[in-house]
Amino acid sequence: EAERWRGRHLEVLVSLSALLRRRAGEESGRASGGGGDDDARRTRLLGEIGEAVQLVGEAIGALGGGTAVGPGRRSAEMEQYEAALAIKTDAHGCGGTGSTDGGTDGTPHESVADALFLMGRHHQRSRSYRSAQRCYDRALRTYRAVLGHECIPVSSVLHDIGVMYHGRGDHGAARKCLGRSLSMRIALLGSDDLSVADGHCWVGKIERERGEYRRARECFLEAHRIKVGRLGKGHVGTAEVLQNVGVVCDDLGWHSESLSCYRDALLIRMANNTDPSDLDGSADVCESLECIANVYRARGEADRALQFFGQCLRRRRRVVSDPASTRSHVTSLLQTYEDVILLTKSQAKLRSDDGAASDARVGPLLVEMGTLYDQRLGKQSRALVHYQKGLQVFQRTKDYGQIGSALCLIGSVHVRRGDGDKALKCYRDSLVMRRLSSGGNGETPEIAETLHSIGNCEAKDGRFEDCLESYNSALEMKRKVFGDVDHVSIAKTEHCIGLALLQLGQYDEALTSFDSSLKARRSQLGQDHLDVAFSLHSIGRIYLHQGNEDEATTCLIESMRIKKLRLPENHVSLAETQHLLGSLYTKKDRHSDSIPMLKSALVAYKSCRDCEVIKSDVLDLLGAAYARIGETGHAILSYEHSLKIKKAIVGREDVACANVLMEIGRLKSAKEDIDGALIAFKEVKRIHKLTYSKNHLKNAELLILVGLIQERLNNEDMALRCFAEALRIRRKLLDSNHRDVAHALVHAGRLFQANGDHFKSYTFLNEAIGIFKNLDETDTDQCADAYRELGRSQLFNGDSESALVSLEKCLDLREGIHGCDSEKWAEIAYDVGIAKFDSGHYDDAADLLEQYVRLQNTFDKADAVGLSNALLHLGKLSVKRRDPDDGLKFFEEALSLRRDLEDNEMAVSEVLFEIGMVRDSKKQYQESLACYEESLALRQSATGEDEETADTISRIGELRRMKGQFDVAMENLSSAIEMYKRTVGESHLSVASTYHSLGYVYDAKDDQKMAMKCHRDGLSVRKILLGGNHVKIASSLDDVAGVYQKQQDHEKALKCLREALRIRKLNLGNDDMEIGKTLFGMGIIFAAIDDNGKAMECYLASIEITAADGTNPKLQAQTLHQIGCVYAARCNYREALKNWRTCLSKYRESGLSDDNYMVACTLGNIEMAESALFSPA
């Protein structure tokens, strides 16, 4: 708690310093040098900030922040002093002249020297004497320049320099500096100032070390006089000087005087040492007691000496038992033990007794010393020496109980040194001794504890059945000794029984032991004791083995909370819980939680020499976690570090290295480092070859990974061989319904599909899905992938209905696994959307593709190819829905995406063609033509000749025809026909359509012969492909009839139209608009041959259809116009006028203006009929 308090306050001080330094930086950045009040204000403000930063440094030093961390690093305290020096130099310096001591006018400044003085003190404390000397020298020059040679700051610097020389062992230089400082202080402050007393003390120390004991005594006596006068006789400072006087008197052999001084010092120190937590005060009391004891020893009064050594020993034990005690306190206690033991032994020799009494006292002291070396100083060899010496003493006295205790302590040292055999022997010998000492009562807490320790040794040796026997014996004895109550010792043994059962896989029994131990520990030790944390950690492990991840998480989190309260942040036990919890979070895909846990554990394990294997495991977990969140670079680094550790521990040929290399290869493959992946897999293959036979599952796994890489390199034959061999191995070694067999089938099926063998692809994928169904694993990604590939194979086989079923099944699975906002779901939604489009399910296609586009726009990295294709199809759907403007928006967006792709000629050409079609339909012929021509140029640069290129040329020809550019149109259409013949053959519907377009051109050029030829060629191709009863045959007959009509061959024209009418009625029924159009055309021809009766029949039949349909008012108007003409030919102008007026209304309803030639013609006819009906005879 104190350490956390200190840490928080250090953070506050460092933050405060940062604010002050930032403010100083802002002030320094402002223009200066103009003189006047601004410069004075700036100098004053920077000086105050420098002083404040310096005070922060002193406060950090007082909190213990003066120690540098790591070689070559500055401490937080020194950073503040350096910052203060820089700020003060900026305030008072020469502005770039190189001086760090000068004022604004080039003179030194006292505040700069203050900072240098503090820096010197810090360097001195850190034993950086050269750096300290430089700082002191600069401070001294500055003080002398500013304040003169005789001043208190100069005296202080000289004093510290003298102390520094003393620390370096240069007593001559130290005496010189301290003497000058003392003289200066006496002259400036008088002979009774406390600082003068301090100076006398330091001079006295140096004189004593030089052997000038009398001079030293005089210095200490003078210091004592001053301190008594200033502080009083009862002050601890006075006692310290008396202690020094006593030491010098000892040096002179004046034991009576020294004893008097020590006693006076002891009385003062004891009077002031009333606070048990004042460890330094207690240590001072012990110092005085020890000095008194040594005086008595020197005077030959051994009993009195032992009396005072005993008091000192008891006090020092209390000091060392305090958690705040330091190594120096322990060292002092050990020295007191040595003194007591030595004096006790010498007394025994003088008395010439058998030594039994001294042994009874010396033996336990030796054991206590061993415990201090072992537990407080970590010096196990020294501990063993003292334990063994104690053991020898106990063996002489035949104290079996003490022999047993000493053997247990020796055993515990061997355990920590990793020598389990020696430890076990010690514990077993201890068990024998303790049973002997029990006087027939073989059930004592000590015997039970020894049995427990034997169990620990057996557990460390992996003999878990044996250790269980020992633990159970210990537990049974403890329950008899302590009763059936919650006892900490019983809880400890139950916990160890649980650990042994855990190793044996007996999880339920282990959980029972851990629960019982946890209950006792919480009852006896409280909720936040470390032992409670250990129990919770172990229970968490059990739950993890049992698959109860939620309970495991709860226990481990609580264990970690307690350990954070009780242990340093890099403690190995805390790391173990973080390691386990991190692995659990990784398993649950909670990587934002697992990665910090694992990193913290790794930092702690790095400081532990025996944790290399565990570090490797943590690095593997980190690699897996990073891989799952897409941090491939970090994942590879983690695995590579793990590989380095494994190679050092188990050798480069070990399977563990192969497993890590396998993961590295996977990740490098995902990172597109194909060469790196193949190198890793090659090394895996080498290790596998040394370790496994050819038909090993690990080889199958490697083959799958290599096959995937070969597939990406388009080495499909090699990839298929890899997958096929992996499948063979898995079929040989695994059950036919094993999931790994299914995975290999999916990979192989996908490659067969890529090679065009869709039957094998279908067979393999269908078998894989059957396995997933048998395993009840249809709700997995692997099964979903199999359905997807199966759907694709079914599409290639032309079974679009089954394909849709398979693809929709994949879509449902991925929605259940990943949700409908995931990339996985979007991927298959696209596939299903395209399949729906191709099969004519336009509404479903639009819904899925719109969702795909929405999701792609939310992903961090959109699939530009898939997105542009989805937009293209959405555009086509809009056009089909007669919403060309919406379609155009989709096409333009798709075009923008595709222009940014590499090798994009064909993709851009495709979209441009669709945009051209939309512009064409909107009669924006110029824009349409530009799109077609750009599309054509791109296609020809990428592929040369193909059907789509011919389509584009054909559309360009059509546009040229509509624009009246007949020669160019004829050239385009003829070129398109020739390209169609070269690419798709003469008998193709596109050839037929283009023939008809070319016929329209010839017709426009009034070349009826060539027009007829083209239309007849188009009709012939269509008849070959479609038979005689297709509606497109009717369209061709319309075109042929049109040419006959122009040639005035009305009979042939009527014959063609009658055949067209038959075909249309056969396919479309009697009421279709196309029937109405055909009847209208026949009426025109009948009228031309003056068969007005049949013409009227055709017109009336046509008007009945068009009026009922209502979608073509223009055709309806034309028919009414012709009916009017028939009535006029019969001189029935009233009926003619009626029809013409209705015709005019329909024209205007269809959007035609009065200046349109058809409207104008009708208006003329109306005028003529009105004239005939209403003009005077």
Side-chain angles (χ1 to χ4, degrees):
E1 188 62 34
E3 187 64 25
R4 283 194 288 272
W5 179 90
R6 172 182 166 276
R8 287 195 298 270
H9 282 72
L10 281 174
E11 287 178 7
V12 170
L13 288 168
V14 171
S15 299
L16 175 60
S17 171
L19 290 172
L20 290 167
R21 288 152 74 174
R22 191 179 306 123
R23 180 71 181 88
E26 293 170 357
E27 195 64 32
S28 297
R30 295 179 182 173
S32 62
D37 293 340
D38 284 345
D39 277 359
R41 184 198 64 78
R42 177 180 176 278
T43 298
R44 177 180 55 76
L45 181 57
L46 283 175
E48 290 173 352
I49 293 174
E51 290 293 337
V53 173
Q54 181 176 302
L55 286 171
V56 169
E58 293 180 65
I60 288 174
L63 283 170
T67 304
V69 181
R73 292 188 59 183
R74 297 170 299 165
S75 69
E77 179 185 3
M78 179 55 81
E79 286 184 3
Q80 311 314 312
Y81 293 149
E82 290 177 347
L85 178 63
I87 295 167
K88 290 180 177 184
T89 301
D90 187 22
H92 307 294
C94 301
T97 64
S99 170
T100 58
D101 313 327
T104 54
D105 56 356
T107 59
H109 197 279
E110 181 183 353
S111 67
V112 175
D114 292 341
L116 287 164
F117 178 50
L118 289 171
M119 289 171 67
R121 278 192 166 177
H122 183 275
H123 285 307
Q124 184 178 340
R125 288 199 307 273
S126 305
R127 299 184 181 275
S128 300
Y129 294 125
R130 289 186 179 180
S131 298
Q133 186 70 59
R134 285 195 296 271
C135 291
Y136 283 145
D137 287 345
R138 288 170 60 192
L140 196 59
R141 285 197 307 270
T142 304
Y143 282 137
R144 283 172 172 169
V146 176
L147 304 174
H149 285 255
E150 302 290 328
C151 64
I152 295 303
V154 169
S155 169
S156 299
V157 176
L158 286 169
H159 179 89
D160 280 16
I161 292 174
V163 172
M164 181 179 68
Y165 279 128
H166 173 264
R168 296 168 67 178
D170 190 345
H171 299 307
R175 176 68 179 83
K176 181 180 177 181
C177 291
L178 289 167
R180 288 172 61 192
S181 171
L182 180 59
S183 300
M184 203 176 296
R185 287 179 175 179
I186 292 171
L188 294 170
L189 302 172
S191 60
D192 294 335
D193 191 79
L194 280 175
S195 65
V196 173
D198 290 338
H200 280 301
C201 284
W202 273 103
V203 172
K205 286 179 183 179
I206 292 172
E207 294 292 6
R208 177 176 179 264
E209 289 170 5
R210 294 171 67 188
E212 299 289 342
Y213 301 124
R214 293 179 184 274
R215 288 183 184 177
R217 179 173 174 273
E218 290 172 4
C219 290
F220 287 131
L221 286 172
E222 181 61 16
H224 179 257
R225 181 192 68 77
I226 296 168
K227 289 200 174 185
V228 167
R230 299 301 298 268
L231 302 175
K233 289 184 178 181
H235 196 275
V236 289
T238 305
E240 183 182 3
V241 181
L242 278 170
Q243 187 78 20
N244 285 323
V245 173
V247 170
V248 176
C249 289
D250 270 341
D251 293 333
L252 290 166
W254 301 351
H255 297 306
S256 297
E257 186 176 340
S258 69
L259 190 59
S260 175
C261 291
Y262 291 145
R263 281 175 171 167
D264 290 344
L266 177 62
L267 292 171
I268 295 169
R269 285 174 166 176
M270 290 180 71
N272 284 278
N273 185 225
T274 57
D275 184 0
S277 64
D278 182 9
L279 301 185
D280 290 336
S282 297
D284 289 341
V285 171
C286 293
E287 181 187 27
S288 296
L289 287 166
E290 198 166 48
C291 287
I292 292 171
N294 281 319
V295 172
Y296 281 121
R297 179 163 57 178
R299 290 169 59 172
E301 299 179 41
D303 290 337
R304 296 296 302 276
L306 276 173
Q307 179 184 350
F308 280 95
F309 274 132
Q311 291 184 48
C312 177
L313 190 62
R314 287 191 294 274
R315 283 181 175 271
R316 282 194 162 145
R317 280 172 176 160
R318 287 200 297 271
V319 170
V320 168
S321 67
D322 192 295
S325 61
T326 63
R327 290 177 70 91
S328 65
H329 293 135
V330 177
T331 304
S332 298
L333 175 57
L334 286 168
Q335 183 57 52
T336 305
Y337 275 122
E338 294 283 2
D339 289 334
V340 171
I341 291 170
L342 183 62
L343 196 54
T344 302
K345 287 181 177 180
S346 64
Q347 278 289 87
K349 287 181 181 179
L350 288 172
R351 290 171 182 167
S352 301
D353 57 17
D354 61 1
S358 66
D359 283 346
R361 186 173 184 187
V362 168
L365 294 178
L366 286 167
V367 170
E368 289 175 21
M369 289 180 71
T371 303
L372 288 172
Y373 278 118
D374 182 21
Q375 297 180 6
R376 292 301 303 271
L377 299 181
K379 296 181 178 181
Q380 294 166 354
S381 297
R382 298 292 299 275
L384 274 178
V385 169
H386 285 82
Y387 286 147
Q388 286 165 351
K389 285 181 179 179
L391 180 61
Q392 290 168 3
V393 171
F394 298 140
Q395 286 171 339
R396 285 199 301 270
T397 61
K398 296 184 179 180
D399 187 339
Y400 300 125
Q402 292 283 27
I403 292 171
S405 298
L407 284 167
C408 274
L409 290 169
I410 293 170
S412 67
V413 174
H414 286 312
V415 166
R416 281 190 287 280
R417 297 178 77 176
D419 196 338
D421 292 338
K422 286 184 179 180
L424 188 58
K425 184 179 185 306
C426 288
Y427 287 131
R428 283 177 173 165
D429 290 345
S430 171
L431 183 62
V432 173
M433 292 296 105
R434 284 182 162 172
R435 281 175 173 164
L436 285 173
S437 70
S438 66
N441 177 21
E443 295 177 347
T444 65
E446 292 78 15
I447 293 174
E449 203 58 46
T450 307
L451 284 165
H452 181 97
S453 298
I454 290 171
N456 286 345
C457 290
E458 290 167 337
K460 280 184 178 290
D461 200 31
R463 295 156 52 194
F464 299 113
E465 290 86 355
D466 293 340
C467 80
L468 271 176
E469 184 178 344
S470 299
Y471 286 142
N472 283 322
S473 297
L475 182 62
E476 183 180 354
M477 192 176 296
K478 287 181 180 182
R479 283 177 174 161
K480 288 180 179 178
V481 171
F482 300 119
D484 291 329
V485 295
D486 291 336
H487 194 279
V488 174
S489 181
I490 292 175
K492 178 176 72 172
T493 303
E494 286 178 328
H495 183 84
C496 290
I497 289 171
L499 291 174
L501 290 167
L502 173 61
Q503 293 297 327
L504 292 170
Q506 299 175 26
Y507 300 130
D508 293 336
E509 295 87 342
L511 187 58
T512 301
S513 294
F514 286 137
D515 282 336
S516 179
S517 174
L518 176 63
K519 176 177 174 291
R521 286 174 169 177
R522 279 179 166 163
S523 170
Q524 296 298 310
L525 303 173
Q527 296 290 332
D528 293 338
H529 194 276
L530 259 181
D531 286 349
V532 173
F534 297 148
S535 292
L536 287 165
H537 177 93
S538 298
I539 292 170
R541 287 178 65 189
I542 294 289
Y543 282 133
L544 192 57
H545 282 295
Q546 292 179 333
N548 193 343
E549 295 176 357
D550 292 337
E551 290 292 342
T553 303
T554 302
C555 290
L556 292 171
I557 288 173
E558 179 63 10
S559 174
M560 185 174 66
R561 181 191 68 78
I562 298 170
K563 288 183 179 182
K564 283 184 174 180
L565 280 175
R566 302 299 179 194
L567 297 173
E569 63 179 355
N570 288 336
H571 196 279
V572 171
S573 179
L574 175 59
E576 288 171 349
T577 303
Q578 290 170 328
H579 180 178
L580 199 57
L581 194 54
S583 68
L584 183 56
Y585 284 147
T586 300
K587 187 178 179 182
K588 296 171 76 172
D589 287 333
R590 291 175 54 182
H591 305 300
S592 60
D593 294 322
S594 72
I595 290 173
M597 289 281 180
L598 294 170
K599 288 171 75 174
S600 297
L602 187 61
V603 170
Y605 287 144
K606 280 182 178 177
S607 62
C608 181
R609 290 178 299 175
D610 301 326
C611 293
E612 292 301 301
V613 174
I614 303 175
K615 275 195 284 186
S616 178
D617 181 55
V618 175
L619 286 163
D620 289 342
L621 288 168
L622 270 173
Y626 279 128
R628 289 182 191 174
I629 63 172
E631 293 281 352
T632 309
H634 286 97
I636 291 173
L637 285 174
S638 297
Y639 279 125
E640 286 177 342
H641 192 180
S642 171
L643 179 64
K644 184 178 178 182
I645 293 172
K646 285 182 169 69
K647 284 180 177 178
I649 296 172
V650 298
R652 60 186 302 114
E653 316 294 339
D654 195 86
V655 172
C657 296
N659 293 338
V660 177
L661 280 163
M662 192 95 83
E663 297 304 323
I664 291 171
R666 287 185 211 268
L667 291 166
K668 288 190 173 181
S669 174
K671 203 179 178 185
E672 303 298 331
D673 182 4
I674 302 301
D675 291 338
L678 288 174
I679 289 169
F681 291 146
K682 185 176 180 182
E683 181 66 7
V684 174
K685 182 180 179 182
R686 186 187 68 79
I687 298 171
H688 282 183
K689 193 172 182 180
L690 294 172
T691 311
Y692 303 127
S693 66
K694 181 180 179 182
N695 293 327
H696 195 279
L697 290 174
K698 280 289 185 181
N699 288 330
E701 182 183 1
L702 179 61
L703 284 164
I704 292 290
L705 293 171
V706 174
L708 290 170
I709 288 182
Q710 297 298 337
E711 184 180 358
R712 288 167 63 184
L713 293 172
N714 295 321
N715 298 330
E716 292 172 351
D717 291 340
M718 176 66 75
L720 186 55
R721 285 201 295 273
C722 289
F723 294 144
E725 178 63 9
L727 179 60
R728 183 193 67 77
I729 294 171
R730 288 179 174 177
R731 282 192 193 276
K732 181 180 180 68
L733 299 176
L734 299 173
D735 182 79
S736 59
N737 279 328
H738 198 281
R739 65 177 61 83
D740 287 348
V741 173
H743 296 166
L745 284 165
V746 172
H747 291 308
R750 186 177 63 254
L751 261 293
F752 280 126
Q753 182 190 111
N755 288 342
D757 192 341
H758 302 300
F759 176 76
K760 276 191 177 180
S761 172
Y762 173 86
T763 303
F764 276 51
L765 293 167
N766 219 23
E767 184 182 351
I769 291 169
I771 293 172
F772 288 129
K773 286 179 178 178
N774 291 335
L775 295 172
D776 196 22
E777 292 183 3
T778 53
D779 56 345
T780 61
D781 265 327
Q782 292 78 10
C783 186
D785 292 343
Y787 272 114
R788 184 186 187 195
E789 299 303 332
L790 179 63
R792 289 177 169 180
S793 287
Q794 288 165 332
L795 282 174
F796 282 117
N797 285 328
D799 189 356
S800 58
E801 186 175 341
S802 297
L804 272 175
V805 171
S806 298
L807 291 172
E808 286 178 329
K809 180 65 176 175
C810 176
L811 186 67
D812 291 340
L813 288 174
R814 287 197 175 173
E815 181 175 346
I817 299 167
H818 301 287
C820 55
D821 288 333
S822 63
E823 291 189 43
K824 285 280 190 181
W825 186 87
E827 181 182 59
I828 190 62
Y830 168 83
D831 287 347
V832 179
I834 298 298
K836 291 274 190 183
F837 177 90
D838 292 338
S839 60
H841 298 88
Y842 297 128
D843 290 340
D844 292 342
D847 182 52
L848 287 167
L849 292 174
E850 282 170 359
Q851 289 188 70
Y852 172 80
V853 170
R854 176 185 61 79
L855 289 172
Q856 284 293 330
N857 288 326
T858 65
F859 297 151
D860 293 335
K861 188 176 180 181
D863 177 10
V865 174
L867 182 56
S868 68
N869 204 31
L871 289 165
L872 177 68
H873 281 79
L874 284 170
K876 291 178 179 180
L877 285 167
S878 296
V879 171
K880 287 181 181 294
R881 291 170 171 174
R882 298 184 180 179
D883 189 351
D885 292 333
D886 206 30
L888 197 57
K889 290 177 185 176
F890 285 121
F891 291 143
E892 294 286 358
E893 195 173 346
L895 180 63
S896 175
L897 287 170
R898 291 193 172 184
R899 286 195 189 278
D900 292 334
L901 298 175
E902 294 181 2
D903 301 323
N904 62 354
E905 290 85 357
M906 296 297 291
V908 172
S909 172
E910 182 182 17
V911 184
L912 284 168
F913 184 83
E914 296 297 334
I915 293 173
M917 294 282 283
V918 174
R919 299 285 187 194
D920 197 344
S921 70
K922 292 166 68 70
K923 295 186 169 44
Q924 298 170 351
Y925 298 128
Q926 194 61 41
E927 294 88 339
S928 175
L929 185 60
C931 290
Y932 287 143
E933 287 178 339
E934 185 181 354
S935 173
L936 178 62
L938 289 169
R939 290 197 69 86
Q940 287 178 328
S941 69
T943 63
E945 292 187 354
D946 62 8
E947 182 183 357
E948 288 77 13
T949 304
D951 288 342
T952 308
I953 296 171
S954 178
R955 290 306 306 163
I956 290 172
E958 276 290 293
L959 280 178
R960 297 291 188 192
R961 178 182 70 81
M962 286 185 240
K963 290 169 66 69
Q965 300 170 358
F966 300 124
D967 292 337
V968 181
M970 189 182 299
E971 182 181 340
N972 292 143
L973 294 169
S974 298
S975 175
I977 289 171
E978 293 305 314
M979 190 175 294
Y980 280 133
K981 288 179 179 179
R982 290 192 296 270
T983 55
V984 295
E986 293 187 9
S987 298
H988 195 275
L989 289 177
S990 295
V991 175
S993 298
T994 311
Y995 268 132
H996 284 298
S997 295
L998 187 58
Y1000 302 146
V1001 174
Y1002 280 118
D1003 192 9
K1005 289 171 67 69
D1006 208 24
D1007 187 342
Q1008 302 303 321
K1009 182 179 179 182
M1010 286 303 297
M1012 180 61 78
K1013 181 180 183 307
C1014 290
H1015 289 314
R1016 283 195 172 279
D1017 286 346
L1019 176 61
S1020 299
V1021 172
R1022 283 178 172 170
K1023 279 186 175 181
I1024 292 169
L1025 296 171
L1026 304 174
N1029 292 325
H1030 197 277
V1031 288
K1032 288 202 172 188
I1033 302 297
S1035 299
S1036 295
L1037 288 167
D1038 287 344
D1039 292 336
V1040 172
V1043 177
Y1044 278 132
Q1045 189 177 353
K1046 280 196 174 184
Q1047 292 175 343
Q1048 301 298 311
D1049 193 342
H1050 300 300
E1051 287 301 325
K1052 289 183 179 179
L1054 276 172
K1055 183 179 178 183
C1056 290
L1057 290 178
R1058 284 191 178 104
E1059 179 62 10
L1061 183 64
R1062 182 192 69 79
I1063 293 169
R1064 284 179 171 135
K1065 283 184 176 181
L1066 181 66
N1067 288 279
L1068 304 174
N1070 294 323
D1071 299 326
D1072 191 84
M1073 182 62 71
E1074 291 300 316
I1075 305 293
K1077 291 179 182 178
T1078 306
L1079 288 166
F1080 175 77
M1082 291 173 66
I1084 295 292
I1085 295 173
F1086 279 124
I1089 60 176
D1090 295 327
D1091 191 344
N1092 289 325
K1094 287 187 178 180
M1096 181 63 79
E1097 287 178 16
C1098 290
Y1099 291 145
L1100 290 173
S1102 175
I1103 199 68
E1104 184 178 354
I1105 293 170
T1106 55
D1109 183 272
T1111 60
N1112 196 339
K1114 183 179 174 182
L1115 177 59
Q1116 194 176 349
Q1118 287 176 305
T1119 308
L1120 287 166
H1121 181 90
Q1122 295 300 328
I1123 291 172
C1125 291
V1126 172
Y1127 279 121
R1130 293 174 177 173
C1131 296
N1132 188 348
Y1133 295 112
R1134 192 171 299 279
E1135 285 299 323
L1137 182 60
K1138 178 181 176 183
N1139 280 278
W1140 284 333
R1141 283 175 174 169
T1142 307
C1143 165
L1144 180 62
S1145 173
K1146 291 292 180 182
Y1147 274 140
R1148 287 172 175 168
E1149 181 184 333
S1150 68
L1152 297 179
S1153 60
D1154 286 358
D1155 57 357
N1156 183 276
Y1157 77 95
M1158 289 188 291
V1159 180
C1161 180
T1162 302
L1163 285 169
N1165 287 350
I1166 290 171
E1167 184 179 350
M1168 180 269 293
E1170 287 176 343
S1171 176
L1173 288 170
F1174 306 117
S1175 62

